[in-house]
Amino acid sequence: MPESYLDAVDEAVSRGIPLVMTTRTCGGRTGRTTYAYPGAEIDLERRGVIFAGMLQPLKARILLGVLLGLGESGQTIAEQFERRGYLL
């Protein structure tokens, strides 16, 4: 993610708005431990971004919509993505 977006990421997370990161590829999972520069996955995870794991963007969007519709907390949303996105 471009460094210029990081202030907006921090603002959203501080307001309790869940941000979910997915991969744009047709397969594979989101990385979590490869790069640590500002805007890379290690940095984003430290900032509170939720990773979708193996869930493709459309599936992640549906899961997020369902969880938000149920009124789930940010912690529960993160736990559900961890559970469903990293089953393999």
Side-chain angles (χ1 to χ4, degrees):
M1 176 176 295
E3 255 187 276
S4 60
Y5 290 14
L6 296 179
D7 287 341
V9 167
D10 292 339
E11 178 69 21
V13 170
S14 72
R15 290 181 177 200
I17 299 169
L19 299 177
V20 179
M21 180 141 147
T22 67
T23 180
R24 292 187 299 175
T25 64
C26 293
R29 68 178 67 202
T30 49
R32 293 172 79 174
T33 60
T34 310
Y35 301 106
Y37 59 85
E41 70 266 13
I42 293 172
D43 179 54
L44 292 174
E45 190 165 41
R46 285 185 189 138
R47 292 172 187 271
V49 173
I50 299 166
F51 287 79
M54 296 292 289
L55 295 176
Q56 295 170 347
L58 182 57
K59 292 176 183 179
R61 183 177 180 182
I62 291 170
L63 177 58
L64 180 60
V66 168
L67 294 169
L68 290 172
L70 291 171
E72 297 294 354
S73 69
Q75 180 62 36
T76 300
I77 291 170
E79 289 169 0
Q80 288 297 318
F81 273 94
E82 183 71 27
R83 180 175 170 207
R84 297 175 192 290
Y86 291 93
L87 292 174
L88 302 176

PDB file of all heavy atoms in Angstrom, residues 44-82:
ATOM      1  N   LEU A  44       1.105  -3.142   8.076  1.00  0.00           N
ATOM      2  CA  LEU A  44      -0.357  -3.021   8.071  1.00  0.00           C
ATOM      3  C   LEU A  44      -0.991  -3.858   9.173  1.00  0.00           C
ATOM      4  O   LEU A  44      -1.949  -3.426   9.818  1.00  0.00           O
ATOM      5  CB  LEU A  44      -0.917  -3.423   6.707  1.00  0.00           C
ATOM      6  CG  LEU A  44      -0.559  -2.472   5.563  1.00  0.00           C
ATOM      7  CD1 LEU A  44      -1.049  -3.043   4.232  1.00  0.00           C
ATOM      8  CD2 LEU A  44      -1.139  -1.089   5.797  1.00  0.00           C
ATOM      9  N   GLU A  45      -0.459  -5.036   9.411  1.00  0.00           N
ATOM     10  CA  GLU A  45      -1.008  -5.871  10.485  1.00  0.00           C
ATOM     11  C   GLU A  45      -0.794  -5.192  11.839  1.00  0.00           C
ATOM     12  O   GLU A  45      -1.689  -5.197  12.687  1.00  0.00           O
ATOM     13  CB  GLU A  45      -0.385  -7.263  10.465  1.00  0.00           C
ATOM     14  CG  GLU A  45      -1.095  -8.224  11.400  1.00  0.00           C
ATOM     15  CD  GLU A  45      -0.741  -9.665  11.150  1.00  0.00           C
ATOM     16  OE1 GLU A  45       0.441  -9.976  10.896  1.00  0.00           O
ATOM     17  OE2 GLU A  45      -1.664 -10.493  11.207  1.00  0.00           O
ATOM     18  N   ARG A  46       0.359  -4.591  12.035  1.00  0.00           N
ATOM     19  CA  ARG A  46       0.616  -3.849  13.284  1.00  0.00           C
ATOM     20  C   ARG A  46      -0.353  -2.683  13.444  1.00  0.00           C
ATOM     21  O   ARG A  46      -0.702  -2.308  14.560  1.00  0.00           O
ATOM     22  CB  ARG A  46       2.042  -3.312  13.291  1.00  0.00           C
ATOM     23  CG  ARG A  46       3.080  -4.358  13.559  1.00  0.00           C
ATOM     24  CD  ARG A  46       4.463  -3.736  13.675  1.00  0.00           C
ATOM     25  NE  ARG A  46       5.460  -4.783  13.719  1.00  0.00           N
ATOM     26  CZ  ARG A  46       6.604  -4.758  13.076  1.00  0.00           C
ATOM     27  NH1 ARG A  46       6.935  -3.707  12.334  1.00  0.00           N
ATOM     28  NH2 ARG A  46       7.454  -5.750  13.168  1.00  0.00           N
ATOM     29  N   ARG A  47      -0.777  -2.117  12.330  1.00  0.00           N
ATOM     30  CA  ARG A  47      -1.710  -0.987  12.367  1.00  0.00           C
ATOM     31  C   ARG A  47      -3.159  -1.431  12.588  1.00  0.00           C
ATOM     32  O   ARG A  47      -4.034  -0.605  12.792  1.00  0.00           O
ATOM     33  CB  ARG A  47      -1.619  -0.188  11.067  1.00  0.00           C
ATOM     34  CG  ARG A  47      -0.307   0.541  10.894  1.00  0.00           C
ATOM     35  CD  ARG A  47      -0.213   1.151   9.486  1.00  0.00           C
ATOM     36  NE  ARG A  47       1.091   1.711   9.236  1.00  0.00           N
ATOM     37  CZ  ARG A  47       1.445   2.962   9.513  1.00  0.00           C
ATOM     38  NH1 ARG A  47       0.562   3.802  10.024  1.00  0.00           N
ATOM     39  NH2 ARG A  47       2.660   3.387   9.259  1.00  0.00           N
ATOM     40  N   GLY A  48      -3.425  -2.732  12.530  1.00  0.00           N
ATOM     41  CA  GLY A  48      -4.764  -3.236  12.797  1.00  0.00           C
ATOM     42  C   GLY A  48      -5.551  -3.660  11.575  1.00  0.00           C
ATOM     43  O   GLY A  48      -6.750  -3.925  11.664  1.00  0.00           O
ATOM     44  N   VAL A  49      -4.899  -3.735  10.405  1.00  0.00           N
ATOM     45  CA  VAL A  49      -5.575  -4.203   9.198  1.00  0.00           C
ATOM     46  C   VAL A  49      -5.807  -5.711   9.323  1.00  0.00           C
ATOM     47  O   VAL A  49      -4.949  -6.449   9.809  1.00  0.00           O
ATOM     48  CB  VAL A  49      -4.747  -3.877   7.933  1.00  0.00           C
ATOM     49  CG1 VAL A  49      -5.352  -4.503   6.696  1.00  0.00           C
ATOM     50  CG2 VAL A  49      -4.636  -2.366   7.772  1.00  0.00           C
ATOM     51  N   ILE A  50      -6.967  -6.166   8.903  1.00  0.00           N
ATOM     52  CA  ILE A  50      -7.341  -7.582   8.940  1.00  0.00           C
ATOM     53  C   ILE A  50      -6.971  -8.206   7.603  1.00  0.00           C
ATOM     54  O   ILE A  50      -7.229  -7.624   6.554  1.00  0.00           O
ATOM     55  CB  ILE A  50      -8.863  -7.724   9.182  1.00  0.00           C
ATOM     56  CG1 ILE A  50      -9.233  -7.087  10.525  1.00  0.00           C
ATOM     57  CG2 ILE A  50      -9.301  -9.178   9.108  1.00  0.00           C
ATOM     58  CD1 ILE A  50     -10.726  -6.867  10.701  1.00  0.00           C
ATOM     59  N   PHE A  51      -6.395  -9.385   7.635  1.00  0.00           N
ATOM     60  CA  PHE A  51      -6.000 -10.066   6.405  1.00  0.00           C
ATOM     61  C   PHE A  51      -6.992 -11.164   6.068  1.00  0.00           C
ATOM     62  O   PHE A  51      -7.431 -11.909   6.938  1.00  0.00           O
ATOM     63  CB  PHE A  51      -4.582 -10.624   6.533  1.00  0.00           C
ATOM     64  CG  PHE A  51      -3.547  -9.545   6.485  1.00  0.00           C
ATOM     65  CD1 PHE A  51      -3.280  -8.768   7.591  1.00  0.00           C
ATOM     66  CD2 PHE A  51      -2.882  -9.280   5.305  1.00  0.00           C
ATOM     67  CE1 PHE A  51      -2.359  -7.746   7.542  1.00  0.00           C
ATOM     68  CE2 PHE A  51      -1.947  -8.259   5.238  1.00  0.00           C
ATOM     69  CZ  PHE A  51      -1.688  -7.493   6.359  1.00  0.00           C
ATOM     70  N   ALA A  52      -7.338 -11.263   4.781  1.00  0.00           N
ATOM     71  CA  ALA A  52      -8.361 -12.205   4.328  1.00  0.00           C
ATOM     72  C   ALA A  52      -7.821 -13.605   4.094  1.00  0.00           C
ATOM     73  O   ALA A  52      -8.596 -14.522   3.862  1.00  0.00           O
ATOM     74  CB  ALA A  52      -9.017 -11.692   3.049  1.00  0.00           C
ATOM     75  N   GLY A  53      -6.525 -13.780   4.133  1.00  0.00           N
ATOM     76  CA  GLY A  53      -5.963 -15.118   3.927  1.00  0.00           C
ATOM     77  C   GLY A  53      -6.257 -15.630   2.533  1.00  0.00           C
ATOM     78  O   GLY A  53      -5.945 -14.978   1.544  1.00  0.00           O
ATOM     79  N   MET A  54      -6.881 -16.793   2.457  1.00  0.00           N
ATOM     80  CA  MET A  54      -7.190 -17.434   1.179  1.00  0.00           C
ATOM     81  C   MET A  54      -8.480 -16.910   0.541  1.00  0.00           C
ATOM     82  O   MET A  54      -8.815 -17.300  -0.568  1.00  0.00           O
ATOM     83  CB  MET A  54      -7.310 -18.950   1.356  1.00  0.00           C
ATOM     84  CG  MET A  54      -6.023 -19.632   1.781  1.00  0.00           C
ATOM     85  SD  MET A  54      -4.763 -19.613   0.496  1.00  0.00           S
ATOM     86  CE  MET A  54      -5.455 -20.761  -0.672  1.00  0.00           C
ATOM     87  N   LEU A  55      -9.227 -16.089   1.249  1.00  0.00           N
ATOM     88  CA  LEU A  55     -10.494 -15.605   0.705  1.00  0.00           C
ATOM     89  C   LEU A  55     -10.257 -14.613  -0.421  1.00  0.00           C
ATOM     90  O   LEU A  55      -9.543 -13.620  -0.246  1.00  0.00           O
ATOM     91  CB  LEU A  55     -11.344 -14.951   1.793  1.00  0.00           C
ATOM     92  CG  LEU A  55     -11.826 -15.854   2.913  1.00  0.00           C
ATOM     93  CD1 LEU A  55     -12.565 -15.032   3.952  1.00  0.00           C
ATOM     94  CD2 LEU A  55     -12.718 -16.954   2.365  1.00  0.00           C
ATOM     95  N   GLN A  56     -10.856 -14.868  -1.551  1.00  0.00           N
ATOM     96  CA  GLN A  56     -10.781 -13.930  -2.671  1.00  0.00           C
ATOM     97  C   GLN A  56     -11.575 -12.671  -2.306  1.00  0.00           C
ATOM     98  O   GLN A  56     -12.429 -12.693  -1.417  1.00  0.00           O
ATOM     99  CB  GLN A  56     -11.332 -14.582  -3.931  1.00  0.00           C
ATOM    100  CG  GLN A  56     -10.503 -15.753  -4.385  1.00  0.00           C
ATOM    101  CD  GLN A  56     -11.189 -16.533  -5.501  1.00  0.00           C
ATOM    102  OE1 GLN A  56     -12.369 -16.359  -5.770  1.00  0.00           O
ATOM    103  NE2 GLN A  56     -10.427 -17.408  -6.136  1.00  0.00           N
ATOM    104  N   PRO A  57     -11.314 -11.559  -2.985  1.00  0.00           N
ATOM    105  CA  PRO A  57     -11.954 -10.292  -2.617  1.00  0.00           C
ATOM    106  C   PRO A  57     -13.477 -10.346  -2.500  1.00  0.00           C
ATOM    107  O   PRO A  57     -14.033  -9.819  -1.539  1.00  0.00           O
ATOM    108  CB  PRO A  57     -11.514  -9.341  -3.734  1.00  0.00           C
ATOM    109  CG  PRO A  57     -10.207  -9.884  -4.188  1.00  0.00           C
ATOM    110  CD  PRO A  57     -10.347 -11.373  -4.079  1.00  0.00           C
ATOM    111  N   LEU A  58     -14.160 -10.983  -3.432  1.00  0.00           N
ATOM    112  CA  LEU A  58     -15.622 -11.034  -3.363  1.00  0.00           C
ATOM    113  C   LEU A  58     -16.089 -11.811  -2.141  1.00  0.00           C
ATOM    114  O   LEU A  58     -17.013 -11.394  -1.440  1.00  0.00           O
ATOM    115  CB  LEU A  58     -16.202 -11.652  -4.643  1.00  0.00           C
ATOM    116  CG  LEU A  58     -17.716 -11.718  -4.713  1.00  0.00           C
ATOM    117  CD1 LEU A  58     -18.345 -10.338  -4.542  1.00  0.00           C
ATOM    118  CD2 LEU A  58     -18.160 -12.335  -6.018  1.00  0.00           C
ATOM    119  N   LYS A  59     -15.442 -12.922  -1.842  1.00  0.00           N
ATOM    120  CA  LYS A  59     -15.820 -13.707  -0.662  1.00  0.00           C
ATOM    121  C   LYS A  59     -15.531 -12.931   0.618  1.00  0.00           C
ATOM    122  O   LYS A  59     -16.320 -12.977   1.566  1.00  0.00           O
ATOM    123  CB  LYS A  59     -15.081 -15.045  -0.666  1.00  0.00           C
ATOM    124  CG  LYS A  59     -15.540 -15.955  -1.780  1.00  0.00           C
ATOM    125  CD  LYS A  59     -14.729 -17.232  -1.809  1.00  0.00           C
ATOM    126  CE  LYS A  59     -15.150 -18.095  -2.992  1.00  0.00           C
ATOM    127  NZ  LYS A  59     -14.374 -19.328  -3.076  1.00  0.00           N
ATOM    128  N   ALA A  60     -14.417 -12.228   0.639  1.00  0.00           N
ATOM    129  CA  ALA A  60     -14.075 -11.420   1.809  1.00  0.00           C
ATOM    130  C   ALA A  60     -15.103 -10.297   2.001  1.00  0.00           C
ATOM    131  O   ALA A  60     -15.509 -10.006   3.129  1.00  0.00           O
ATOM    132  CB  ALA A  60     -12.675 -10.844   1.661  1.00  0.00           C
ATOM    133  N   ARG A  61     -15.524  -9.713   0.912  1.00  0.00           N
ATOM    134  CA  ARG A  61     -16.514  -8.632   0.995  1.00  0.00           C
ATOM    135  C   ARG A  61     -17.845  -9.166   1.528  1.00  0.00           C
ATOM    136  O   ARG A  61     -18.499  -8.517   2.353  1.00  0.00           O
ATOM    137  CB  ARG A  61     -16.704  -8.011  -0.384  1.00  0.00           C
ATOM    138  CG  ARG A  61     -17.644  -6.856  -0.387  1.00  0.00           C
ATOM    139  CD  ARG A  61     -17.727  -6.237  -1.755  1.00  0.00           C
ATOM    140  NE  ARG A  61     -18.637  -5.117  -1.750  1.00  0.00           N
ATOM    141  CZ  ARG A  61     -18.946  -4.411  -2.789  1.00  0.00           C
ATOM    142  NH1 ARG A  61     -18.396  -4.691  -3.955  1.00  0.00           N
ATOM    143  NH2 ARG A  61     -19.784  -3.407  -2.713  1.00  0.00           N
ATOM    144  N   ILE A  62     -18.241 -10.330   1.081  1.00  0.00           N
ATOM    145  CA  ILE A  62     -19.490 -10.927   1.569  1.00  0.00           C
ATOM    146  C   ILE A  62     -19.384 -11.240   3.054  1.00  0.00           C
ATOM    147  O   ILE A  62     -20.287 -10.919   3.834  1.00  0.00           O
ATOM    148  CB  ILE A  62     -19.846 -12.187   0.747  1.00  0.00           C
ATOM    149  CG1 ILE A  62     -20.243 -11.784  -0.672  1.00  0.00           C
ATOM    150  CG2 ILE A  62     -20.964 -12.977   1.434  1.00  0.00           C
ATOM    151  CD1 ILE A  62     -20.372 -12.942  -1.641  1.00  0.00           C
ATOM    152  N   LEU A  63     -18.276 -11.865   3.461  1.00  0.00           N
ATOM    153  CA  LEU A  63     -18.092 -12.182   4.877  1.00  0.00           C
ATOM    154  C   LEU A  63     -18.099 -10.911   5.715  1.00  0.00           C
ATOM    155  O   LEU A  63     -18.779 -10.850   6.749  1.00  0.00           O
ATOM    156  CB  LEU A  63     -16.787 -12.956   5.084  1.00  0.00           C
ATOM    157  CG  LEU A  63     -16.431 -13.286   6.534  1.00  0.00           C
ATOM    158  CD1 LEU A  63     -17.525 -14.105   7.217  1.00  0.00           C
ATOM    159  CD2 LEU A  63     -15.092 -14.018   6.597  1.00  0.00           C
ATOM    160  N   LEU A  64     -17.394  -9.878   5.282  1.00  0.00           N
ATOM    161  CA  LEU A  64     -17.373  -8.626   6.025  1.00  0.00           C
ATOM    162  C   LEU A  64     -18.774  -8.025   6.117  1.00  0.00           C
ATOM    163  O   LEU A  64     -19.195  -7.577   7.184  1.00  0.00           O
ATOM    164  CB  LEU A  64     -16.408  -7.633   5.376  1.00  0.00           C
ATOM    165  CG  LEU A  64     -16.293  -6.273   6.054  1.00  0.00           C
ATOM    166  CD1 LEU A  64     -15.809  -6.417   7.489  1.00  0.00           C
ATOM    167  CD2 LEU A  64     -15.362  -5.371   5.262  1.00  0.00           C
ATOM    168  N   GLY A  65     -19.514  -8.040   5.015  1.00  0.00           N
ATOM    169  CA  GLY A  65     -20.881  -7.505   5.026  1.00  0.00           C
ATOM    170  C   GLY A  65     -21.794  -8.245   5.988  1.00  0.00           C
ATOM    171  O   GLY A  65     -22.584  -7.635   6.709  1.00  0.00           O
ATOM    172  N   VAL A  66     -21.680  -9.560   6.004  1.00  0.00           N
ATOM    173  CA  VAL A  66     -22.498 -10.367   6.928  1.00  0.00           C
ATOM    174  C   VAL A  66     -22.144 -10.037   8.373  1.00  0.00           C
ATOM    175  O   VAL A  66     -23.017  -9.821   9.216  1.00  0.00           O
ATOM    176  CB  VAL A  66     -22.320 -11.874   6.638  1.00  0.00           C
ATOM    177  CG1 VAL A  66     -22.919 -12.720   7.750  1.00  0.00           C
ATOM    178  CG2 VAL A  66     -22.955 -12.242   5.304  1.00  0.00           C
ATOM    179  N   LEU A  67     -20.850 -10.000   8.662  1.00  0.00           N
ATOM    180  CA  LEU A  67     -20.418  -9.718  10.034  1.00  0.00           C
ATOM    181  C   LEU A  67     -20.817  -8.318  10.483  1.00  0.00           C
ATOM    182  O   LEU A  67     -21.271  -8.128  11.620  1.00  0.00           O
ATOM    183  CB  LEU A  67     -18.908  -9.914  10.142  1.00  0.00           C
ATOM    184  CG  LEU A  67     -18.431 -11.360   9.956  1.00  0.00           C
ATOM    185  CD1 LEU A  67     -16.919 -11.410   9.817  1.00  0.00           C
ATOM    186  CD2 LEU A  67     -18.914 -12.246  11.089  1.00  0.00           C
ATOM    187  N   LEU A  68     -20.686  -7.334   9.590  1.00  0.00           N
ATOM    188  CA  LEU A  68     -21.126  -5.981   9.930  1.00  0.00           C
ATOM    189  C   LEU A  68     -22.638  -5.939  10.128  1.00  0.00           C
ATOM    190  O   LEU A  68     -23.138  -5.273  11.038  1.00  0.00           O
ATOM    191  CB  LEU A  68     -20.692  -4.992   8.853  1.00  0.00           C
ATOM    192  CG  LEU A  68     -19.198  -4.693   8.771  1.00  0.00           C
ATOM    193  CD1 LEU A  68     -18.896  -3.856   7.531  1.00  0.00           C
ATOM    194  CD2 LEU A  68     -18.710  -4.001  10.037  1.00  0.00           C
ATOM    195  N   GLY A  69     -23.361  -6.653   9.269  1.00  0.00           N
ATOM    196  CA  GLY A  69     -24.817  -6.709   9.388  1.00  0.00           C
ATOM    197  C   GLY A  69     -25.284  -7.333  10.692  1.00  0.00           C
ATOM    198  O   GLY A  69     -26.334  -6.975  11.223  1.00  0.00           O
ATOM    199  N   LEU A  70     -24.491  -8.248  11.207  1.00  0.00           N
ATOM    200  CA  LEU A  70     -24.802  -8.883  12.497  1.00  0.00           C
ATOM    201  C   LEU A  70     -24.371  -8.016  13.675  1.00  0.00           C
ATOM    202  O   LEU A  70     -24.619  -8.360  14.826  1.00  0.00           O
ATOM    203  CB  LEU A  70     -24.117 -10.247  12.594  1.00  0.00           C
ATOM    204  CG  LEU A  70     -24.653 -11.322  11.660  1.00  0.00           C
ATOM    205  CD1 LEU A  70     -23.755 -12.557  11.703  1.00  0.00           C
ATOM    206  CD2 LEU A  70     -26.086 -11.682  12.030  1.00  0.00           C
ATOM    207  N   GLY A  71     -23.691  -6.900  13.369  1.00  0.00           N
ATOM    208  CA  GLY A  71     -23.250  -6.000  14.422  1.00  0.00           C
ATOM    209  C   GLY A  71     -22.031  -6.499  15.187  1.00  0.00           C
ATOM    210  O   GLY A  71     -21.820  -6.101  16.333  1.00  0.00           O
ATOM    211  N   GLU A  72     -21.247  -7.343  14.564  1.00  0.00           N
ATOM    212  CA  GLU A  72     -20.075  -7.918  15.239  1.00  0.00           C
ATOM    213  C   GLU A  72     -18.999  -6.860  15.476  1.00  0.00           C
ATOM    214  O   GLU A  72     -18.853  -5.914  14.709  1.00  0.00           O
ATOM    215  CB  GLU A  72     -19.492  -9.071  14.427  1.00  0.00           C
ATOM    216  CG  GLU A  72     -20.428 -10.239  14.259  1.00  0.00           C
ATOM    217  CD  GLU A  72     -20.756 -10.985  15.553  1.00  0.00           C
ATOM    218  OE1 GLU A  72     -20.169 -10.686  16.608  1.00  0.00           O
ATOM    219  OE2 GLU A  72     -21.608 -11.871  15.511  1.00  0.00           O
ATOM    220  N   SER A  73     -18.230  -7.068  16.518  1.00  0.00           N
ATOM    221  CA  SER A  73     -17.142  -6.151  16.867  1.00  0.00           C
ATOM    222  C   SER A  73     -15.940  -6.379  15.967  1.00  0.00           C
ATOM    223  O   SER A  73     -15.824  -7.405  15.295  1.00  0.00           O
ATOM    224  CB  SER A  73     -16.721  -6.386  18.326  1.00  0.00           C
ATOM    225  OG  SER A  73     -16.072  -7.653  18.439  1.00  0.00           O
ATOM    226  N   GLY A  74     -15.028  -5.426  15.985  1.00  0.00           N
ATOM    227  CA  GLY A  74     -13.806  -5.550  15.203  1.00  0.00           C
ATOM    228  C   GLY A  74     -13.004  -6.782  15.572  1.00  0.00           C
ATOM    229  O   GLY A  74     -12.426  -7.448  14.716  1.00  0.00           O
ATOM    230  N   GLN A  75     -12.973  -7.105  16.865  1.00  0.00           N
ATOM    231  CA  GLN A  75     -12.237  -8.289  17.319  1.00  0.00           C
ATOM    232  C   GLN A  75     -12.862  -9.557  16.762  1.00  0.00           C
ATOM    233  O   GLN A  75     -12.164 -10.446  16.281  1.00  0.00           O
ATOM    234  CB  GLN A  75     -12.207  -8.337  18.858  1.00  0.00           C
ATOM    235  CG  GLN A  75     -11.465  -9.542  19.402  1.00  0.00           C
ATOM    236  CD  GLN A  75      -9.996  -9.564  19.013  1.00  0.00           C
ATOM    237  OE1 GLN A  75      -9.353  -8.529  18.932  1.00  0.00           O
ATOM    238  NE2 GLN A  75      -9.470 -10.740  18.750  1.00  0.00           N
ATOM    239  N   THR A  76     -14.183  -9.642  16.787  1.00  0.00           N
ATOM    240  CA  THR A  76     -14.875 -10.821  16.249  1.00  0.00           C
ATOM    241  C   THR A  76     -14.668 -10.910  14.745  1.00  0.00           C
ATOM    242  O   THR A  76     -14.459 -11.995  14.209  1.00  0.00           O
ATOM    243  CB  THR A  76     -16.380 -10.768  16.585  1.00  0.00           C
ATOM    244  OG1 THR A  76     -16.524 -10.739  18.009  1.00  0.00           O
ATOM    245  CG2 THR A  76     -17.118 -11.962  16.016  1.00  0.00           C
ATOM    246  N   ILE A  77     -14.707  -9.792  14.062  1.00  0.00           N
ATOM    247  CA  ILE A  77     -14.470  -9.784  12.614  1.00  0.00           C
ATOM    248  C   ILE A  77     -13.070 -10.316  12.317  1.00  0.00           C
ATOM    249  O   ILE A  77     -12.894 -11.173  11.454  1.00  0.00           O
ATOM    250  CB  ILE A  77     -14.686  -8.376  12.037  1.00  0.00           C
ATOM    251  CG1 ILE A  77     -16.168  -8.000  12.105  1.00  0.00           C
ATOM    252  CG2 ILE A  77     -14.172  -8.290  10.597  1.00  0.00           C
ATOM    253  CD1 ILE A  77     -16.477  -6.560  11.785  1.00  0.00           C
ATOM    254  N   ALA A  78     -12.083  -9.831  13.049  1.00  0.00           N
ATOM    255  CA  ALA A  78     -10.706 -10.305  12.852  1.00  0.00           C
ATOM    256  C   ALA A  78     -10.613 -11.809  13.118  1.00  0.00           C
ATOM    257  O   ALA A  78      -9.958 -12.537  12.364  1.00  0.00           O
ATOM    258  CB  ALA A  78      -9.754  -9.528  13.756  1.00  0.00           C
ATOM    259  N   GLU A  79     -11.260 -12.272  14.163  1.00  0.00           N
ATOM    260  CA  GLU A  79     -11.233 -13.703  14.496  1.00  0.00           C
ATOM    261  C   GLU A  79     -11.887 -14.541  13.403  1.00  0.00           C
ATOM    262  O   GLU A  79     -11.396 -15.619  13.063  1.00  0.00           O
ATOM    263  CB  GLU A  79     -11.937 -13.950  15.828  1.00  0.00           C
ATOM    264  CG  GLU A  79     -11.161 -13.443  17.017  1.00  0.00           C
ATOM    265  CD  GLU A  79     -11.969 -13.437  18.305  1.00  0.00           C
ATOM    266  OE1 GLU A  79     -13.158 -13.828  18.298  1.00  0.00           O
ATOM    267  OE2 GLU A  79     -11.405 -13.015  19.331  1.00  0.00           O
ATOM    268  N   GLN A  80     -12.986 -14.059  12.846  1.00  0.00           N
ATOM    269  CA  GLN A  80     -13.669 -14.800  11.783  1.00  0.00           C
ATOM    270  C   GLN A  80     -12.819 -14.876  10.516  1.00  0.00           C
ATOM    271  O   GLN A  80     -12.783 -15.911   9.851  1.00  0.00           O
ATOM    272  CB  GLN A  80     -15.034 -14.184  11.488  1.00  0.00           C
ATOM    273  CG  GLN A  80     -16.058 -14.431  12.567  1.00  0.00           C
ATOM    274  CD  GLN A  80     -16.354 -15.908  12.729  1.00  0.00           C
ATOM    275  OE1 GLN A  80     -16.484 -16.652  11.759  1.00  0.00           O
ATOM    276  NE2 GLN A  80     -16.463 -16.347  13.967  1.00  0.00           N
ATOM    277  N   PHE A  81     -12.141 -13.792  10.173  1.00  0.00           N
ATOM    278  CA  PHE A  81     -11.259 -13.837   9.008  1.00  0.00           C
ATOM    279  C   PHE A  81     -10.082 -14.763   9.251  1.00  0.00           C
ATOM    280  O   PHE A  81      -9.651 -15.478   8.350  1.00  0.00           O
ATOM    281  CB  PHE A  81     -10.795 -12.435   8.597  1.00  0.00           C
ATOM    282  CG  PHE A  81     -11.754 -11.768   7.662  1.00  0.00           C
ATOM    283  CD1 PHE A  81     -12.737 -10.927   8.135  1.00  0.00           C
ATOM    284  CD2 PHE A  81     -11.682 -12.008   6.300  1.00  0.00           C
ATOM    285  CE1 PHE A  81     -13.643 -10.326   7.271  1.00  0.00           C
ATOM    286  CE2 PHE A  81     -12.573 -11.410   5.427  1.00  0.00           C
ATOM    287  CZ  PHE A  81     -13.549 -10.568   5.913  1.00  0.00           C
ATOM    288  N   GLU A  82      -9.571 -14.773  10.452  1.00  0.00           N
ATOM    289  CA  GLU A  82      -8.476 -15.683  10.789  1.00  0.00           C
ATOM    290  C   GLU A  82      -8.953 -17.129  10.665  1.00  0.00           C
ATOM    291  O   GLU A  82      -8.271 -17.971  10.098  1.00  0.00           O
ATOM    292  CB  GLU A  82      -7.990 -15.402  12.222  1.00  0.00           C
ATOM    293  CG  GLU A  82      -6.804 -16.235  12.639  1.00  0.00           C
ATOM    294  CD  GLU A  82      -5.517 -15.832  11.941  1.00  0.00           C
ATOM    295  OE1 GLU A  82      -5.380 -14.673  11.538  1.00  0.00           O
ATOM    296  OE2 GLU A  82      -4.643 -16.710  11.807  1.00  0.00           O
TER     297      GLU A  82
END
